[in-house]
């Protein structure tokens, strides 16, 4: 676990890298899921929550979209001192964990759907299905012959030709 020390001049010092860090650096640690703890340099008091709250406050102020609306903040304040405070904390943690799990599933599904929704992928699947049907009726048909036949049909359709038989007009 990385230990960051907060000095009276409000600067944060990363003891593992032996350098001062900014709140932006701490945010990067959070995004990378690195374990860290912020301690007061004189008292040794854990200040991690305070620093995390400060990062959230700055994110909200910078216009990155409001995650904690006024209404949500008011509801949270009402829970302090309430007998349900401990349960609310656990509920929020579990809810966020469940949300992240669902978010990962949705991302996976979207990526799978993007492959299906790709027109070239769909055309290849249709061509393969058509080839399978043609092979049922003509087992000697090779895939290259089928593709050449399909390309020839597309070319004749573009020129205005049709596969439909030409009907003679009835004589009057």
């Amino acid at each position: 676990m990385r230990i960051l020390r907060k000095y009276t001049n409000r600067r944060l010092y990363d003891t593992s890298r032996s350098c001062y860090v900014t709140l932006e650096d701490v945010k990067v640690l959070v995004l990378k899921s690195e374990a860290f703890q912020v301690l007061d340099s004189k008292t040794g008091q854990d200040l991690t929550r305070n620093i995390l709250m400060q990062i959230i406050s700055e994110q909200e102020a910078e216009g990155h979209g409001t995650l904690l609306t006024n209404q949500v903040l008011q509801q949270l304040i009402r829970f302090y001192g309430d007998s349900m405070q401990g349960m609310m904390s656990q509920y929020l943690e579990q809810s966020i964990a469940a949300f992240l799990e669902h978010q990962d599933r949705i991302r996976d599904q979207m990526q799978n759907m993007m492959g299906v929704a790709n027109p070239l992928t769909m055309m290849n699947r249709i061509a393969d299905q058509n080839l399978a049907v043609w092979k049922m009726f003509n087992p000697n048909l090779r895939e290259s012959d089928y593709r050449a036949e399909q390309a020839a049909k597309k070319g004749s359709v573009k020129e205005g030709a049709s596969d439909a038989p030409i009907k003679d007009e009835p004589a009057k």
Side-chain angles (χ1 to χ4, degrees):
M1 177 177 296
R2 287 172 89 160
I3 301 295
L4 307 177
R5 297 213 180 273
K6 184 173 183 186
Y7 288 93
T8 53
N9 62 3
R10 295 184 174 180
R11 293 185 73 181
L12 296 170
Y13 187 79
D14 186 341
T15 58
S16 64
R17 290 183 22 211
S18 300
C19 64
Y20 286 101
V21 293
T22 63
L23 287 178
E24 187 64 30
D25 296 325
V26 177
K27 178 183 163 191
V28 170
L29 292 176
V30 171
L31 295 174
K32 289 182 177 179
S33 299
E34 284 192 43
F36 68 93
Q37 188 176 24
V38 181
L39 301 175
D40 185 280
S41 64
K42 286 186 179 181
T43 65
Q45 180 184 1
D46 187 357
L47 302 175
T48 309
R49 290 186 72 251
N50 297 357
I51 297 299
L52 294 173
M53 294 292 283
Q54 191 174 349
I55 292 170
I56 289 171
S57 178
E58 286 185 7
Q59 292 294 301
E60 294 273 325
E62 289 176 7
H64 291 288
T66 302
L67 204 61
L68 300 171
T69 64
N70 289 345
Q71 210 171 15
V72 169
L73 291 171
Q74 289 171 5
Q75 292 294 340
L76 288 174
I77 290 169
R78 288 183 188 115
F79 272 103
Y80 282 95
D82 189 285
S83 61
M84 300 294 280
Q85 179 179 343
M87 289 180 61
M88 181 57 151
S89 176
Q90 290 175 345
Y91 173 78
L92 289 174
E93 283 182 25
Q94 291 173 358
S95 294
I96 290 174
F99 178 82
L100 292 173
E101 185 179 318
H102 289 293
Q103 185 181 27
D104 288 341
R105 278 195 220 143
I106 289 170
R107 279 189 183 136
D108 291 343
Q109 288 174 352
M110 290 300 286
Q111 287 176 348
N112 291 338
M113 285 176 49
M114 293 305 280
V116 171
N118 182 346
L120 295 176
T121 304
M122 290 175 66
M123 291 300 286
N124 282 335
R125 277 195 193 146
I126 291 169
D128 291 340
Q129 289 172 352
N130 287 343
L131 177 62
V133 170
W134 280 106
K135 281 184 177 180
M136 283 177 22
F137 293 109
N138 185 358
N140 298 327
L141 182 67
R142 293 188 317 240
E143 186 173 345
S144 59
D145 294 339
Y146 172 76
R147 297 215 187 263
E149 183 181 312
Q150 291 300 311
K153 282 184 181 179
K154 285 181 185 175
S156 65
V157 170
K158 288 180 184 174
E159 295 169 7
S162 170
D163 288 345
I166 301 174
K167 295 182 181 179
D168 293 326
E169 290 185 27
K172 292 186 182 180

